[in-house]
Amino acid sequence: MEFSLSDELLGTVMPIVVYWVYSGLYMMFGSYDNYRLHSRQDEHEKNLVTKPTVVKGVLLQQAVQAVVAIILFKVTGDDTDATIGKQSSFIVLARQFLIAMAVLDTWQYMMHRYMHQNKFLYRHIHSQHHRLIVPYAFGALYNHPAEGLLLDTVGGALSFLLSGMSPRASIFFFSFATIKTVDDHCGLWLPGNPFHFFFSNNSAYHDIHHQRFGTKYNFSQPFFVVWDRVLGTHMPYSLEKRAEGGLEARPAKEYKES
């Protein structure tokens, strides 16, 4: 299979384009203080990394993901080309998407939680992502390169391979997964957001994890909260109004420090 302007190329490039376009939309909404989970002052004062550094880190991770995607499509090209006709039905696509979501959630939960439990991995690798105590949209993929490769890139490759989806299907799946990840880190609670209706794993849920009191909870990402519930790391939250405007995600009463 020759690599050209094709489903393979779109499957590589589109998630990157979607990431920056969707993040840009959310950054525009960031000026609406009533929808913010943290104040703009907190964003400037609490975060331990500058936005230019975040942009560079994200671009590095996306470059690695693109290389891996190209290699993956090359290696699996013959098989996926032969099965495109079988994968065109809605039922088959839905099954592939659900499998891919389950694989990605399982992989990311287990690796994410382990990176918190292993002091060496947290100190030298995962703590980079937690420099964003107040998350914002385009910081969703700000990770240590090793974490980006292990958590996101390997997780994405496994979900692609085990679901059996074609490069064409992967365009939609990984674009959707990208939108969901950006949404979870946007730091906003916009009224009418469909992700808040369909998913318990949302911007407020993940915001809890980024706060110092929640780092041992809410590891699940990006879709469901099943593993948090099953393995006892689920921290329910309530949304409360801040005096200066906006909302704040706070842990449920039983989790609050005495």
Side-chain angles (χ1 to χ4, degrees), residues 93-108 155 159-160 163 165 173 176-177 180 198-199 221-224 227:
L93 287 172
R95 174 176 56 80
Q96 291 172 344
F97 271 44
L98 287 174
I99 292 173
M101 292 167 79
V103 170
L104 191 59
D105 267 22
T106 300
W107 177 263
Q108 293 212 345
S159 63
F160 173 77
S163 67
M165 67 176 64
F173 176 75
F176 175 67
K180 182 66 175 59
F198 290 105
F199 297 97
Q221 53 186 28
F223 300 111
F224 308 112
W227 288 114

Side-chain angles (χ1 to χ4, degrees), residues 4-5 23 31 49 64 72 78 87 102 109 131-132 135 157 160 178 198 211-212 215 232 239 255-256:
S4 59
L5 187 59
S23 295
S31 60
V49 62
V64 173
L72 193 62
D78 293 339
Q87 295 178 350
Y109 176 88
R131 293 175 186 172
L132 292 177
F160 173 77
T178 297
F198 290 105
Q211 306 314 304
R212 299 192 188 282
T215 55
L239 284 172
Y255 287 90
K256 291 181 180 179

Side-chain angles (χ1 to χ4, degrees), residues 110-122:
M110 299 303 175
M111 295 305 302
H112 184 195
R113 183 175 178 179
Y114 183 65
M115 284 191 174
H116 275 268
Q117 293 175 329
N118 185 298
K119 293 181 179 180
F120 178 86
L121 291 178
Y122 183 83

Side-chain angles (χ1 to χ4, degrees), residues 21-35:
V21 171
Y22 196 64
S23 295
L25 292 174
Y26 265 131
M27 294 308 291
M28 290 190 295
F29 282 117
S31 60
Y32 293 91
D33 291 340
N34 289 337
Y35 302 141

Side-chain angles (χ1 to χ4, degrees), residues 3 7-16 65-67 69-70 73:
F3 194 84
D7 291 341
E8 290 83 355
L9 182 57
L10 289 174
T12 302
V13 174
M14 280 304 296
I16 298 174
Q65 287 180 335
V67 171
I70 292 171
F73 287 141

Side-chain angles (χ1 to χ4, degrees), residues 46 70 109 111 130 168 176 199 202 219 237-238 256:
K46 292 184 177 181
I70 292 171
Y109 176 88
M111 295 305 302
H130 280 272
R168 180 168 298 178
F176 175 67
F199 297 97
N202 51 47
F219 297 111
Y237 64 89
S238 61
K256 291 181 180 179

